[in-house]
Amino acid sequence: MEQYKQEFIEFMVDCQVLKFGDFVTKSGRKTPFFINTGFYRTGGQLARLGGYYAKAIREKFGTDFDVLFGPAYKGIPLSVAASIAIHEQYGSDIRYCSNRKEIKDHGDKGILLGSPIQDGDRVVIIEDVTTAGTSIQETLPIIRAQGNVEVLGLVVSVDRMERGQGTKSALKEIHETYGLETTAIVTMADVVEHLYNRPYKGRVIIDDTLKAAIDAYYEQYGAEE
């Protein structure tokens, strides 16, 4: 596993973005782990997060595209932080764009904030975590309504590796349904590999008991390969 992925996993733990216990996802699944990117709350944290996204984006899509689109609301700071990081790390001046939940009818009018999307633009969508893949159904029409654009794909922070609407993972369903390339900074398999029975800051985060609970969760909700 690449060094930056190991660092990102530890970064999520430090920021309390990645937690283990008893949780219920938006889709109603009881899960022993939870990822909440709302816990990235400082400028320093967002700067580091943007850097990790930038590495994952460059590996999958390169940096020769035009717009990084972050769906409201959590995608807004992600698109800003990652576009800054891409510029600082790789010298590419990517425009950022997000949507508003409500259309604004005065001042900077319309449904978009940040850069407008224009004919011929190549767009990468950035999100936090995709579990069921439902948000892409709302996002794609907004982007494609702006003109003749090419949506290259989707990047998320963590691939939960569980079933979406059917038996395959949400990211794989998005690829097959919409023809979009998808990638994640890390997968949950990466998380387990890095943290299982390995002390971090004086404690083992994923011990045998928690590993068994994660395995049981994936037996029930895990996606087909």
Side-chain angles (χ1 to χ4, degrees):
M1 189 192 315
E2 295 94 325
Q3 181 67 30
Y4 85 89
K5 294 185 176 185
Q6 298 178 32
E7 292 175 359
F8 178 65
I9 293 166
E10 296 170 359
F11 174 60
M12 286 194 293
V13 172
D14 290 341
C15 294
Q16 301 184 55
V17 167
L18 173 62
K19 295 183 179 181
F20 298 95
D22 295 311
F23 307 97
V24 178
T25 66
K26 183 185 286 188
S27 57
R29 297 173 181 175
K30 293 183 179 179
T31 173
F33 58 89
F34 196 74
I35 301 152
N36 183 358
T37 57
F39 276 83
Y40 296 121
R41 292 174 172 173
T42 72
Q45 289 170 349
L46 284 175
R48 285 190 64 184
L49 178 61
Y52 293 124
Y53 266 111
K55 287 183 171 64
I57 289 168
R58 184 173 182 264
E59 282 187 2
K60 184 68 175 183
F61 303 107
T63 57
D64 185 22
F65 62 94
D66 304 294
V67 178
L68 191 59
F69 186 92
Y73 288 104
K74 287 185 178 179
I76 297 174
L78 297 181
S79 65
V80 174
S83 61
I84 292 172
I86 290 172
H87 176 64
E88 290 181 342
Q89 293 181 16
Y90 308 117
S92 294
D93 208 12
I94 306 295
R95 289 146 44 209
Y96 82 91
C97 180
S98 296
N99 65 295
R100 294 184 173 94
K101 290 290 188 178
E102 304 82 20
I103 298 176
K104 189 176 178 183
D105 59 4
H106 61 281
D108 184 14
K109 298 181 180 180
I111 196 171
L112 301 182
L113 55 86
S115 171
I117 297 176
Q118 305 163 353
D119 283 347
D121 278 345
R122 295 156 298 170
V123 181
V124 172
I125 301 170
I126 183 170
E127 292 195 17
D128 55 351
V129 179
T130 296
T131 301
T134 51
S135 63
I136 203 74
Q137 299 174 13
E138 302 172 358
T139 302
L140 273 179
I142 293 171
I143 296 173
R144 289 174 171 164
Q146 308 307 311
N148 182 21
V149 302
E150 179 183 3
V151 182
L152 301 180
L154 167 70
V155 57
V156 299
S157 61
V158 181
D159 179 0
R160 287 182 59 102
M161 301 176 62
E162 60 190 80
R163 297 197 306 268
Q165 304 294 328
T167 60
K168 298 179 180 179
S169 73
L171 290 183
K172 187 167 289 186
E173 286 179 351
I174 289 170
H175 173 66
E176 294 183 353
T177 302
Y178 302 104
L180 302 182
E181 295 298 323
T182 62
T183 194
I185 302 173
V186 294
T187 67
M188 276 307 297
D190 294 330
V191 171
V192 173
E193 175 189 336
H194 186 59
L195 295 179
Y196 176 49
N197 277 345
R198 181 177 299 176
Y200 176 63
K201 292 188 174 178
R203 66 188 180 101
V204 173
I205 297 172
I206 301 181
D207 57 14
D208 290 337
T209 301
L210 180 54
K211 175 66 160 53
I214 294 172
D215 289 345
Y217 180 78
Y218 279 109
E219 285 179 10
Q220 184 173 7
Y221 296 115
E224 292 181 356
E225 292 295 331

